[in-house]
Amino acid sequence: MATVDTSFLNAFYPEESLEILNVIQEKDKILIRMKSVTSYCTCPKCGQTTNNYHGTYMRKVQDLPILGKNVQLEITAHEYNCMNKECNATSISETFDGFLNAYSRMTERCADFVCTLALETSCEGCARICNTLGIKTSGDTVIRLLLKRYELLPNPETGDVIGVDDFAYKKRNTYGTIIVNEKTHEPITILDGRDGETLREWLKNNKQVKVITRDRASAYAKVIAEELPDAMQVADRFHLHQNLLEAIKKALNKEIPATINIPHADEEVCKKNRS
């Protein structure tokens, strides 16, 4: 175990909020002890700023690895009392927005790395790579982190032109319905099943839709016609191609026999020799 000079690390942490006390380097881990230097906090419930100091608490979180070693932060953070009498918050645990948020077990930059890696690979694959690099996590933790990030995203704009299609969670077993904003090409929502009933409930709350592109499924067509009779239904490009191919096949089947006998070259030679 060795104590490391901390002066070069200050630039990598928010100096206005945190002060590095010491750094301890072990065989496979680096422990960085820090303390908060803030004097006020904003209440997450009422939004009022308070400087009424209540006490301290210890936070242990994970940061990006250094040279393949797991980095653990031990932060002595502050608690404050909310000064708003109408607010029901008793004590406020400070957060460090942009670096470390409430209840997080890893820094935001570490979480950004994990989420980016998971989107490019898979949750289990991401967990295996992270553990190799020095970030301790699991596939379930990665899933929870992605879901948490998703819930914080702003609601997508629905618009009046949408696309509807089905997809398989597991082929021939579980299916869902995806709705996409055709102007921005961004997904709006994912519904359970593909029988049209969940789409019906969604359309009841989105009467502003004027144009819907869809596949050839009769369930979607029926529900759209019943809930939005004035909306224009458009077959998407892929299914237009399918319709065209089927029409060509039917026309060819009528004009061309099912089987065509093509004489072999050897047979023609034999006929010539006989003659």
Side-chain angles (χ1 to χ4, degrees):
M1 183 183 298
T3 303
V4 182
D5 180 25
T6 63
S7 58
F8 75 98
L9 286 174
N10 291 325
F12 299 98
Y13 295 94
E15 297 181 75
E16 70 282 358
S17 304
L18 293 169
E19 177 186 349
I20 299 176
L21 300 177
N22 65 333
V23 179
I24 300 173
Q25 182 176 346
E26 300 179 1
K27 183 179 180 181
D28 58 351
K29 182 177 72 172
I30 296 176
L31 175 63
I32 303 177
R33 291 196 173 99
M34 320 174 82
K35 71 173 183 179
S36 172
V37 293
T38 61
S39 58
Y40 62 90
C41 181
T42 301
C43 178
K45 292 187 177 180
C46 66
Q48 182 170 319
T49 301
T50 177
N51 58 0
N52 190 343
Y53 179 76
H54 176 77
T56 60
Y57 70 104
M58 179 69 71
R59 292 192 67 176
K60 295 182 179 181
V61 298
Q62 194 170 194
D63 199 4
L64 286 173
I66 299 177
L67 298 177
K69 291 187 177 183
N70 177 259
V71 175
Q72 294 287 333
L73 308 181
E74 285 189 2
I75 302 175
T76 303
H78 294 159
E79 285 184 327
Y80 294 88
N81 295 316
C82 184
M83 301 177 69
N84 184 1
K85 295 182 179 179
E86 297 180 356
C87 181
N88 58 1
T90 53
S91 63
I92 307 166
S93 301
E94 70 172 338
T95 60
F96 309 95
D97 292 333
F99 175 72
L100 181 62
N101 292 330
Y103 306 111
S104 296
R105 301 304 299 270
M106 62 177 62
T107 60
E108 286 300 294
R109 61 191 178 194
C110 186
D112 289 342
F113 173 78
V114 173
C115 289
T116 302
L117 183 59
L119 292 174
E120 294 296 331
T121 56
S122 66
C123 291
E124 290 297 335
C126 170
R128 289 192 294 270
I129 295 172
C130 286
N131 285 310
T132 302
L133 294 175
I135 302 174
K136 295 181 179 179
T137 189
S138 65
D140 290 341
T141 300
V142 176
I143 291 174
R144 287 193 295 269
L145 186 58
L146 288 173
L147 290 175
K148 182 179 178 181
R149 289 291 180 93
Y150 173 76
E151 291 170 356
L152 294 175
L153 291 175
N155 292 328
E157 181 183 355
T158 300
D160 58 355
V161 182
I162 64 170
V164 180
D165 203 354
D166 65 314
F167 67 96
Y169 288 106
K170 184 178 181 182
K171 195 171 182 179
R172 299 186 184 88
N173 191 332
T174 308
Y175 290 86
T177 297
I178 185 170
I179 300 177
V180 178
N181 187 324
E182 290 288 11
K183 292 182 179 179
T184 63
H185 303 290
E186 294 181 353
I188 298 171
T189 188
I190 292 177
L191 308 175
D192 293 330
R194 59 173 181 175
D195 58 357
E197 290 307 312
T198 51
L199 177 62
R200 184 190 301 276
E201 294 301 319
W202 189 88
L203 291 175
K204 287 180 179 179
N205 298 320
N206 293 273
K207 296 292 186 179
Q208 79 282 358
V209 175
K210 302 299 182 183
V211 180
I212 302 175
T213 65
R214 58 169 179 80
D215 61 13
R216 301 182 297 174
S218 59
Y220 291 151
K222 180 181 178 182
V223 168
I224 295 170
E226 291 176 353
E227 296 299 329
L228 299 176
D230 296 330
M232 179 186 296
Q233 299 189 43
V234 181
D236 57 42
R237 186 182 304 170
F238 172 78
H239 292 94
L240 283 176
H241 289 168
Q242 278 194 329
N243 290 343
L244 176 61
L245 289 174
E246 286 189 3
I248 293 173
K249 286 180 180 178
K250 289 180 180 178
L252 291 175
N253 289 337
K254 289 181 180 179
E255 300 297 329
I256 300 175
T259 58
I260 301 175
N261 294 324
I262 301 176
H264 197 272
D266 293 342
E267 293 181 3
E268 293 181 355
V269 172
C270 292
K271 289 181 180 179
K272 288 180 180 180
N273 293 334
R274 289 172 186 173
S275 60

